[in-house]
Amino acid sequence: MVVASSNNGAVENITRELPNAAKLAERFRDGADNLKPLATQLLNRPIASDDGDVEDEQQPIEAWGLISAVLGNKKNRNAFVNTFREIDEPDPKRPGRRKRVDAHYNVFGLLAELSGRTDWNRARTEFEEALAEVKRLKNEIASVEELKAQVERLRRASTTAAEDVVRLEGRLSQVPLERSMLDAGVRLAENAAANAATEATDLWVARPGCFARLFNTSPFRQWQAAWLAAAAARKSRQTISGLGSKDS
């Protein structure tokens, strides 16, 4: 990330404060160590201003990690690059003196070491093959997840079907009893219909004479009421009997 502004001093202050361990909450300082020696070396190197002046040396500052660095002009950029190559360390042979040694994180040295052993075209091919394999595996995972979803849907459908079978089997077990009760009802209705037919015949034979019917006498009205009731009962029982015959 590049931080740019018309106020170079403000940008420089922010860039120098971000890696400063003193600006980090105390509870995080012990676990914060991201290229700490290199960040400390960068934080304590002299900074050149845009007019060519170099800032006065200050008290050494401890960094917690390499999160930012002051760049801008050529001197600062060169100093930044050189710090990746060499750093200052205490000289054990000369107490109080320091010496320049290869940086522990010499990125340029690592790149130079790997440049003779790394084939870019081969590395790119291997990366593309690895990427294709990752895509294939992701597609397989997606297929497996879809199959799992289908299995779950089928399992739920199977459970529902099994419950329907149990319910229908229970209903089917009641059919013989219901059929027996219906058959008994049909036989009763048939017997009743036969009795009603007999009663109707008897009533027809016993119907009043012509004058009783002509003058609508009381005996005729009684007979007529009995005849109509018997006819209605016979019709109803014949209908029930007919329904029983269709069920058979």
Side-chain angles (χ1 to χ4, degrees):
M1 178 178 67
V2 177
V3 179
S5 171
S6 59
N7 188 340
N8 291 338
V11 174
E12 179 180 324
N13 290 337
I14 293 174
T15 308
R16 291 176 62 83
E17 286 186 5
L18 286 175
N20 191 340
K23 305 298 182 180
L24 194 64
E26 187 174 355
R27 65 179 183 275
F28 297 123
R29 292 178 189 174
D30 293 338
D33 184 4
N34 299 284
L35 302 178
K36 187 174 181 178
L38 183 59
T40 300
Q41 178 71 19
L42 285 168
L43 194 59
N44 288 282
R45 64 180 172 78
I47 301 299
S49 61
D50 291 338
D51 55 12
D53 295 334
V54 177
E55 295 181 358
D56 296 333
E57 292 188 4
Q58 302 176 357
Q59 293 294 327
I61 303 173
E62 182 183 6
W64 65 266
L66 184 58
I67 187 174
S68 62
V70 178
L71 299 176
N73 57 55
K74 185 176 181 180
K75 289 183 179 180
N76 289 339
R77 297 198 305 271
N78 288 338
F80 175 78
V81 172
N82 291 333
T83 304
F84 275 91
R85 291 193 173 98
E86 295 180 338
I87 60 174
D88 289 334
E89 284 190 350
D91 190 346
K93 296 180 180 180
R94 296 181 297 173
R97 304 290 296 274
R98 303 179 69 84
K99 64 177 182 177
R100 301 287 291 179
V101 298
D102 288 340
H104 302 295
Y105 309 98
N106 191 334
V107 177
F108 300 100
L110 293 174
L111 291 175
E113 182 181 349
L114 294 174
S115 62
R117 297 182 302 177
T118 304
D119 184 343
W120 166 251
N121 291 328
R122 180 171 60 82
R124 183 176 62 181
T125 301
E126 290 177 354
F127 171 78
E128 291 175 349
E129 291 176 351
L131 181 62
E133 178 66 11
V134 169
K135 292 180 178 179
R136 184 187 66 81
L137 292 175
K138 289 176 65 176
N139 290 334
E140 285 189 2
I141 292 173
S143 299
V144 170
E145 292 298 324
E146 177 59 25
L147 288 175
K148 289 171 62 178
Q150 291 181 5
V151 169
E152 183 60 27
R153 289 194 294 268
L154 290 173
R155 183 181 290 112
R156 289 196 297 267
S158 176
T159 301
T160 302
E163 293 173 352
D164 291 342
V165 168
V166 172
R167 179 178 57 81
L168 292 174
E169 286 180 343
R171 181 73 179 86
L172 185 62
S173 64
Q174 298 175 359
V175 169
L177 177 61
E178 294 178 358
R179 179 58 186 270
S180 177
M181 294 174 63
L182 288 173
D183 289 343
V186 169
R187 285 193 295 272
L188 290 175
E190 290 176 345
N191 293 335
N195 293 335
T198 301
E199 291 177 2
T201 300
D202 293 341
L203 284 171
W204 183 258
V205 172
R207 67 177 177 170
C210 179
F211 287 102
R213 296 195 302 274
L214 180 62
F215 294 101
N216 195 22
T217 61
S218 175
F220 172 73
R221 290 195 299 272
Q222 293 176 358
W223 175 88
Q224 187 179 40
W227 168 259
L228 292 176
R234 182 178 60 180
K235 183 177 181 181
S236 174
R237 288 162 183 166
Q238 285 178 346
T239 301
I240 295 175
S241 177
L243 292 176
S245 301
K246 289 181 180 179
D247 291 339
S248 300

